[in-house]
Amino acid sequence: GSITFPVNYTSTGVMPGTGTGNEFVLWGFGVRCPDVTPASAYVFCELLVSGGASIQAKLQFETDGSVTLRNTAGTTVLTIAAGAIVDNVTFYYFEVAVKTANAGACQWWLDGVSQGTGSGDFLEITTAGADGVRFTADALETLHIDDFYIISDGAAQPTPYGPSQVFGYQSGNL
């Protein structure tokens, strides 16, 4: 099954954009999956626009244990190598920043450590920004998602909070 988190952009500051592109969107979440080397590769997280009708970016678990960031066409832009996610009992914290543009920059982090930068077509239609994120599990998998956030900062790449900031905020220790 899947679950979609619609984003109320008037209260969160994430705006669907004006169609000009060049808007950075940053989202983060903890994930635990029961199988770090699934029998079939599957997309587990999608950055949505136009009420979920279009996908700006997606994250995919691969059969070799790697994780890929893919652009609107499904082309791999960045890869977290197999072995970075080593067990099925730990929550791993992903943070992903993409510029929703035809040649948009991107960067992602795993547990607060940068996993690389790149660029790709992260503009599915003419509307930049995002208005939702969808998490989907493989038919044989159950994903556990925690500590989700999403922000936008126009043309500037937002600074990721990192897992310690998110966990600290929740516990009142900031």
Side-chain angles (χ1 to χ4, degrees):
S2 69
I3 186 167
T4 301
F5 294 97
V7 178
N8 180 344
Y9 57 87
T10 55
S11 65
T12 63
V14 177
M15 300 186 65
T18 61
T20 59
N22 298 320
E23 293 187 31
F24 263 105
V25 177
L26 171 70
W27 75 103
F29 58 93
V31 64
R32 186 180 80 203
C33 60
D35 188 355
V36 296
T37 55
S40 298
Y42 67 94
V43 173
F44 70 97
C45 181
E46 298 169 314
L47 182 66
L48 306 172
V49 70
S50 297
S54 297
I55 300 166
Q56 304 285 53
K58 51 192 124 185
L59 303 178
Q60 181 166 308
F61 285 123
E62 305 293 344
T63 57
D64 66 355
S66 63
V67 181
T68 55
L69 170 63
R70 295 171 176 265
N71 66 11
T72 58
T75 304
T76 298
V77 177
L78 294 173
T79 301
I80 295 176
I85 298 177
V86 296
D87 66 53
N88 60 359
V89 295
T90 302
F91 272 90
Y92 293 90
Y93 203 77
F94 285 88
E95 289 174 288
V96 184
V98 297
K99 182 180 268 190
T100 53
N102 289 324
C106 61
Q107 183 171 3
W108 65 345
W109 299 261
L110 179 64
D111 292 334
V113 177
S114 178
Q115 300 296 308
T117 61
S119 66
D121 182 359
F122 294 108
L123 190 63
E124 173 65 20
I125 57 174
T126 58
T127 303
D131 59 14
V133 172
R134 178 172 44 228
F135 294 97
T136 305
D138 179 272
L140 303 175
E141 306 288 336
T142 300
L143 291 180
H144 300 270
I145 305 295
D146 200 7
D147 302 321
F148 170 77
Y149 77 88
I150 183 169
I151 59 175
S152 176
D153 196 16
Q157 179 177 319
T159 301
Y161 291 148
S164 63
Q165 289 293 321
V166 173
F167 300 147
Y169 173 78
Q170 290 180 342
S171 64
N173 292 328
L174 283 184

